[in-house]
Amino acid sequence: MSNLRKLIQDKNRIVVKIGSSSLTHKQTGDMDYIRMEKLVRELSDIRNQGKDVVLVTSGAIAAGKNVMKIKDFNTRSQAEAMAMKQACSSVGQARLMMTYQRLFAEYNQIAAQILMTKNTIVDNLNRYNAHNTFSQLLKMGAIPVVNENDTVATYEIEIGDNDTLSAIVAALVEADLLILLSDIDGLYTDDPRKNPEARFIRQVDELTDEYMGMGKESTGSNVGTGGMNTKLIAAKIATKSGIDMVIANSSDIGVLHRILAGEDEGTLFLAKKDESFDLPEFVHNLHKT
Ligand code: GLU
């Protein structure tokens, strides 16, 4: 175990992000209850160790799409697709939360829902309120379960993907570790699904332009929105805010306690606090370049 990995054992405020493709069955799009249950058990156990836990979860649109029996959004006009996605997220978020509530209750934990948009961060009063709510919930021992408020977030005000959202949440709650659970082991020099020569990167000491260039647009899944590109944007937000970040494969949810035990899982991005990093400004400018 490397010394830097060992330090992860001392992290006290942890944000975990899980994507839609990790929460649903590929064949049917239905929720993968076993995976969700394992996730909730792991998070509850981390909470029982006295650590603060925040879960950023996708899956609202995927769940709603399934309930409403919609095959594809892309066959429709952009406006119609947007309206349907928002309707699906409304149905799906309730389902998702109902499942989390039930599972967390089994482990004697209190789950609390927080839905955010870009404005939650850009607007000073909203950000202040959100910060206070998170702090209070954590103080009371609850586990905030966060998603983007897709029902009202149109392109102009959306964060757009939960990788970015989870890093924003980590910065807002002054977390000391962000874990992105994904369908990939971590960062590779190139897309390993296409390039067999791609090499795995265990640790990123400083997020240079070379690393940022390793982001790929596609995820290989058709339910989530985050590819490696959004994970690297998340890494930028997290590390500049002074937060370590790990990307790891969600195929075995047990990876969570191994990461927290300091084991060498996934890719570790080391915090490099940048005092000039302005979160509201960064969020305001998202999607503008
Ligand atoms: N907020 C979206 C949902 O819950 C997912 C965004 C993402 O996949 O990153 O369905």
Side-chain angles (χ1 to χ4, degrees):
M1 192 193 300
S2 80
N3 280 344
L4 287 166
R5 285 286 183 160
K6 243 194 224 158
L7 292 178
I8 290 190
Q9 296 174 344
D10 303 325
K11 303 287 182 192
N12 270 320
R13 183 164 285 186
I14 297 137
V15 176
V16 176
K17 181 259 169 178
I18 188 146
S20 309
S21 63
S22 307
L23 293 173
T24 50
H25 287 287
K26 270 196 186 58
Q27 306 83 334
T28 58
D30 276 332
M31 278 174 168
D32 185 334
Y33 290 125
I34 293 190
R35 194 78 69 83
M36 281 182 93
E37 161 132 39
K38 284 186 180 156
L39 173 70
V40 167
R41 191 172 54 198
E42 288 277 335
L43 297 176
S44 300
D45 194 65
I46 300 170
R47 178 70 214 112
N48 283 353
Q49 292 167 37
K51 297 179 191 283
D52 293 336
V53 180
V54 177
L55 171 64
V56 176
T57 182
S58 307
I61 297 176
K65 187 176 168 201
N66 217 256
V67 175
M68 308 302 264
K69 302 200 174 8
I70 291 163
K71 285 216 154 46
D72 203 347
F73 295 117
N74 297 333
T75 54
R76 302 158 203 270
S77 73
Q78 228 181 338
E80 201 186 345
M82 172 64 104
M84 292 195 74
K85 274 188 194 170
Q86 292 187 309
C88 284
S89 74
S90 175
V91 172
Q93 180 64 30
R95 290 257 170 156
L96 196 62
M97 208 52 213
M98 186 177 72
T99 310
Y100 278 123
Q101 287 281 17
R102 191 167 48 72
L103 294 173
F104 274 117
E106 277 180 30
Y107 291 98
N108 228 357
Q109 303 293 338
I110 301 157
Q113 173 177 267
I114 299 195
L115 300 177
M116 298 171 54
T117 64
K118 205 170 178 177
N119 287 346
T120 314
I121 298 299
V122 173
D123 181 88
N124 288 340
L125 184 59
N126 282 355
R127 188 176 65 257
Y128 175 78
N129 285 335
H131 179 266
N132 284 350
T133 305
F134 272 111
S135 303
Q136 190 58 40
L137 285 169
L138 292 171
K139 209 157 91 196
M140 293 179 356
I143 300 181
V145 179
V146 188
N147 198 355
E148 181 151 15
N149 194 354
D150 298 310
T151 56
V152 295
T154 48
Y155 184 74
E156 299 74 30
I157 60 155
E158 75 175 10
I159 295 164
D161 70 90
N162 279 7
D163 292 327
T164 310
L165 174 66
S166 66
I168 292 170
V169 168
L172 184 70
V173 304
E174 287 138 350
D176 36 26
L177 181 66
L178 168 63
I179 302 175
L180 300 185
L181 291 178
S182 172
D183 51 6
I184 192 161
D185 297 333
L187 180 64
Y188 285 84
T189 50
D190 196 2
D191 188 343
R193 296 174 181 109
K194 294 187 188 132
N195 180 358
E197 310 276 282
R199 275 179 304 103
F200 187 66
I201 300 166
R202 288 241 158 257
Q203 186 172 307
V204 174
D205 294 337
E206 188 173 353
L207 207 51
T208 56
D209 288 347
E210 196 190 341
Y211 283 120
M212 290 306 288
M214 290 171 190
K216 294 284 158 188
E217 289 299 334
S218 74
T219 71
S221 81
N222 59 7
V223 282
T225 38
M228 198 42 79
N229 191 31
T230 53
K231 291 181 177 51
L232 288 168
I233 292 172
K236 195 170 181 175
I237 298 171
T239 56
K240 279 179 183 287
S241 306
I243 303 163
D244 285 343
M245 181 179 116
V246 176
I247 302 177
N249 203 319
S250 65
S251 61
D252 174 12
I253 298 282
V255 75
L256 274 177
H257 67 252
R258 294 198 296 277
I259 292 169
L260 292 172
E263 287 182 34
D264 212 2
E265 295 278 358
T267 302
L268 170 64
F269 295 78
L270 290 175
K272 204 165 193 315
K273 194 162 171 64
D274 175 354
E275 294 299 342
S276 66
F277 180 65
D278 183 340
L279 182 70
E281 169 83 9
F282 188 91
V283 173
H284 176 73
N285 289 324
L286 271 175
H287 313 306
K288 287 201 175 142
T289 45

